[in-house]
Amino acid sequence: MEVKEASETRTSWSATLRETPSTFCDHAGKKRKQDTAPEPVIRITEDDEEEDDDEDEDGKMSFNRMKDSEEPCNKRVKPVVKSNSLTGVITPTKTPALKRIGQSISRSISFRTEARPLPPPVLRSRPKASSFPRRRNSQCWSDTVESHDLTAKEIKRQEVIYELTQGERQLIEDLSLVKKVYYEPMLKLDIMTESELGQIFGTLDSLIPLHEDLLSRLERLRGSEKTVGEVGNTLLNWFPCLEAYVTYCCNQVGAKALLDQKKHEKRVEHFLRLCQESSFSRKLDLWNFLDLPRSRLVKYPLLLKEIQKCTPPEHPDEDTLPDALELIQSIVAEVNKKTGEAECQFYRRNLIYLEESQRLPEIQLSRFLCCHGELKNNKGQRLHVFLFELALVLTRPSEDREGGQLFHVYRQPLPNASINLEEIPDGEACGGGSFRGAFTGGNDKVKNCFRVSSRGRSKAHPYSLQANDSFSKQQWISCLRQAIIQSRDRTAQTSQSPHSPHPDPALYNIADLSLTSDTEMTDPPTG
């Protein structure tokens, strides 16, 4: 029985080796052309041959190998996928003779193998900072309860209250993170001085206990079924604490300017970049974290409106929610007003006047800044334009020795009450060479441009300005129109007196202000 099994085994190997040439062709991709000279065929005989014939076969193989090495091989062989393709045909075996035969076949037949690189292994490592979301994964109130028997309107109310609570918890985590990860390491490593850090972070540390107090109040309101009944009275009693935001938000104007200035230092830039690339930052930079309290403040009215919308009639919150909403809206308005005044004073202090005539009283009397940003003049120069409450000021930005930003006043500022505003339609040909091709790159068409000029002031020439895009242009035009109307209205009111009951129609009739109302205006050459 053992002899018979061995015979069957050798027969199967013999059949496999007879198919070897076609198998090589399959691995190469195409069949190779046969040469005129027949290739050596290797056969393994059946078991009826004697064991001494194995040595004769070895001798024949050596002779064939020597013959192949002497004769030049003109065959064009394409590379195979793997160099060990023979192992895919002949399965591993422990017989030394078959192993030697397989090696002889590999040496006798000419191959040129080009091993393809294996695909890189899939590394399951911690994701980089770029893969972290900017926002946390939100969880709904419904995910925290197993079952409930509430109406759709009441479920919506619980969802909004839960969102309010979770927002407080996340804000506390972020503010605590800013203190632990940014403020304390920069102070310990002497990256910034204590005075500089105090100016940048302001009263941020004092805001954390305020929101921890609200969070604890909201959590105490949750019943055994994780529902909140009355919330209006709690918010009404807590909202006055938000008056502390006046100090924090007013400080942000100078804090942002100092932070931008310190980013030019290598140590500060390197530290902030490492923090932003870390997983905890969620791709937010330091200023994004410092601006979170202001963003949270303006969200309270929106949340209260949603709670009020979902509150059913005859609910205890029906009487307290309107009062709480009115209170928070007044606080937000006060914070915005004080912040605007602080921003106006900050930029007003950084104006550098080249001539004394540029110091318009309207600039000093302005209480807030309507808008400001970068625009181009008709020469293609980049200007930083400030629209104060009562005056329009064009400046050229620069830096002082310490890297602080300064603004050199460009030409003559314009009082808002005397401004003529003209919108220049896109594609309109620029006449008189007023644009000098700076806006259009040599073409005769303009885009995203408008013109401002002054009534009755010889020193103030018209200014043709270009915005970055159409949206920015419309924002500027909207702010300018509103500032012009309010300034003229104020001028008309102050000019009225008991001795002159009839105001000047030219000053008082401001409702007909149009962007294209200066069609009669001549456009003198601009400098």
Side-chain angles (χ1 to χ4, degrees):
M1 290 296 295
E2 295 179 355
V3 176
K4 184 177 182 180
E5 290 177 357
S7 174
E8 293 177 355
T9 303
R10 293 192 179 184
T11 304
S12 62
W13 282 117
S14 176
T16 304
L17 287 174
R18 292 191 187 97
E19 297 175 357
T20 300
S22 61
T23 305
F24 291 152
C25 296
D26 293 339
H27 278 280
K30 294 181 180 180
K31 293 184 178 181
R32 298 179 298 185
K33 296 181 179 180
Q34 297 292 335
D35 293 343
T36 54
E39 290 195 15
V41 179
I42 302 170
R43 299 178 182 274
I44 300 178
T45 58
E46 301 291 338
D47 199 349
D48 55 335
E49 297 182 4
E50 296 182 1
E51 295 180 358
D52 294 338
D53 293 340
D54 292 337
E55 297 180 358
D56 296 338
E57 290 291 330
D58 291 340
K60 293 179 181 179
M61 285 298 305
S62 301
F63 175 77
N64 292 334
R65 184 169 64 253
M66 294 176 59
K67 182 178 180 181
D68 291 341
S69 61
E70 293 176 358
E71 295 180 0
C73 182
N74 298 326
K75 298 178 182 179
R76 297 180 61 184
V77 183
K78 293 187 178 181
V80 295
V81 178
K82 295 182 180 179
S83 59
N84 58 346
S85 60
L86 185 61
T87 59
V89 179
I90 303 179
T91 55
T93 181
K94 297 182 180 180
T95 307
L98 292 179
K99 184 176 181 180
R100 289 197 303 270
I101 294 174
Q103 293 174 353
S104 302
I105 295 175
S106 300
R107 288 193 296 266
S108 61
I109 301 178
S110 176
F111 274 102
R112 186 180 62 192
T113 61
E114 296 180 3
R116 296 182 181 179
L118 295 175
V122 179
L123 301 179
R124 296 184 178 180
S125 59
R126 189 174 183 176
K128 297 182 179 180
S130 59
S131 62
F132 280 80
R134 289 181 178 271
R135 296 181 181 179
R136 297 181 177 93
N137 293 329
S138 58
Q139 186 183 32
C140 300
W141 171 82
S142 304
D143 300 332
T144 63
V145 294
E146 296 180 357
S147 62
H148 56 79
D149 187 15
L150 301 176
T151 62
K153 191 173 184 179
E154 182 61 27
I155 293 175
K156 177 63 176 177
R157 172 183 161 87
Q158 295 299 324
E159 296 286 3
V160 180
I161 296 176
Y162 183 78
E163 181 183 354
L164 172 65
T165 307
Q166 288 298 102
E168 293 299 306
R169 180 175 288 105
Q170 293 174 2
L171 180 62
I172 294 170
E173 293 175 358
D174 287 333
L175 297 185
S176 302
L177 181 143
V178 170
K179 179 183 177 182
K180 182 178 180 181
V181 177
Y182 287 95
Y183 181 86
E184 294 178 356
M186 284 194 289
L187 180 62
K188 185 176 182 180
L189 298 174
D190 198 22
I191 296 178
M192 292 189 196
T193 64
E194 186 175 0
S195 176
E196 292 171 339
L197 291 174
Q199 184 175 350
I200 292 175
F201 288 84
T203 58
L204 180 72
D205 195 19
S206 65
L207 301 181
I208 299 178
L210 298 180
H211 293 279
E212 288 178 340
D213 180 35
L214 177 60
L215 179 61
S216 62
R217 295 188 186 191
L218 293 175
E219 288 180 339
R220 286 196 298 267
L221 294 177
R222 302 187 71 181
S224 57
E225 298 180 356
K226 297 183 179 181
T227 58
V228 177
E230 184 180 356
V231 72
N233 193 40
T234 300
L235 297 176
L236 184 62
N237 295 331
W238 180 81
F239 277 152
C241 299
L242 293 176
E243 293 179 357
Y245 269 69
V246 174
T247 304
Y248 180 78
C249 293
C250 289
N251 179 73
Q252 278 193 301
V253 182
K256 180 66 164 60
L258 179 59
L259 180 61
D260 292 340
Q261 175 184 340
K262 299 297 293 184
K263 284 181 179 179
H264 294 290
E265 298 182 9
K266 188 175 182 180
R267 291 188 66 197
V268 177
E269 187 275 334
H270 180 67
F271 177 83
L272 295 179
R273 178 169 51 83
L274 289 179
C275 290
Q276 187 173 359
E277 293 174 354
S278 301
S279 59
F280 61 81
S281 69
R282 309 192 305 278
K283 295 182 66 176
L284 301 176
D285 60 10
L286 175 58
W287 180 250
N288 292 131
F289 285 105
L290 295 177
D291 197 45
L292 286 177
R294 183 199 60 80
S295 302
R296 183 64 180 172
L297 177 65
V298 298
K299 195 172 182 180
Y300 286 122
L302 303 177
L303 292 172
L304 254 67
K305 289 180 181 179
E306 289 296 321
I307 296 175
Q308 188 178 14
K309 189 185 302 183
C310 302
T311 301
E314 300 180 357
H315 192 280
D317 282 343
E318 272 292 305
D319 297 330
T320 56
L321 280 179
D323 297 336
L325 179 59
E326 182 180 357
L327 176 60
I328 187 59
Q329 287 176 338
S330 63
I331 293 176
V332 172
E334 180 68 14
V335 172
N336 287 335
K337 178 183 176 182
K338 296 296 184 182
T339 304
E341 293 176 355
E343 184 182 24
C344 180
Q345 295 175 5
F346 175 81
Y347 286 112
R348 196 167 57 196
R349 288 194 303 265
N350 291 338
L351 293 179
I352 306 298
Y353 297 95
L354 304 180
E355 299 178 4
E356 193 64 27
S357 61
Q358 295 176 333
R359 297 179 179 272
L360 296 181
E362 288 85 354
I363 300 177
Q364 300 302 321
L365 293 175
S366 295
R367 298 166 299 174
F368 58 89
L369 186 64
C370 299
C371 64
H372 67 98
E374 186 180 276
L375 294 172
K376 289 182 181 180
N377 63 0
N378 57 344
K379 297 180 181 179
Q381 298 173 339
R382 295 183 181 274
L383 304 177
H384 198 98
V385 181
F386 296 93
L387 179 58
F388 292 96
E389 178 190 10
L390 301 175
L392 178 68
V393 184
L394 283 67
T395 67
R396 288 175 174 173
S398 62
E399 294 183 355
D400 57 15
R401 295 180 179 179
E402 299 179 354
Q405 200 167 23
L406 299 175
F407 302 93
H408 295 269
V409 177
Y410 176 75
R411 301 301 174 85
Q412 185 67 22
L414 302 178
N416 292 344
S418 62
I419 288 180
N420 283 327
L421 176 62
E422 178 186 3
E423 182 179 10
I424 303 176
D426 293 345
E428 181 180 291
C430 50
S434 59
F435 290 89
R436 302 181 184 179
F439 289 164
T440 58
N443 299 327
D444 293 334
K445 305 296 181 181
V446 296
K447 193 174 183 180
N448 304 324
C449 299
F450 59 93
R451 183 182 292 112
V452 292
S453 58
S454 178
R455 295 180 176 182
R457 295 223 177 191
S458 58
K459 291 185 178 180
H461 297 292
Y463 301 116
S464 299
L465 302 172
Q466 183 186 38
N468 293 330
D469 49 47
S470 60
F471 177 79
S472 178
K473 172 188 174 181
Q474 294 303 322
Q475 290 293 315
W476 273 102
I477 290 177
S478 177
C479 290
L480 280 167
R481 289 192 63 184
Q482 185 177 4
I484 292 170
I485 293 175
Q486 292 178 351
S487 298
R488 291 181 182 179
D489 190 18
R490 178 176 176 174
T491 302
Q493 291 177 0
T494 55
S495 63
Q496 295 181 12
S497 64
H499 302 286
S500 58
H502 302 288
D504 185 2
L507 295 177
Y508 192 74
N509 188 16
I510 59 176
D512 297 333
L513 177 66
S514 174
L515 296 178
T516 58
S517 60
D518 14 352
T519 54
E520 300 177 358
M521 181 191 69
T522 58
D523 189 9
T526 58

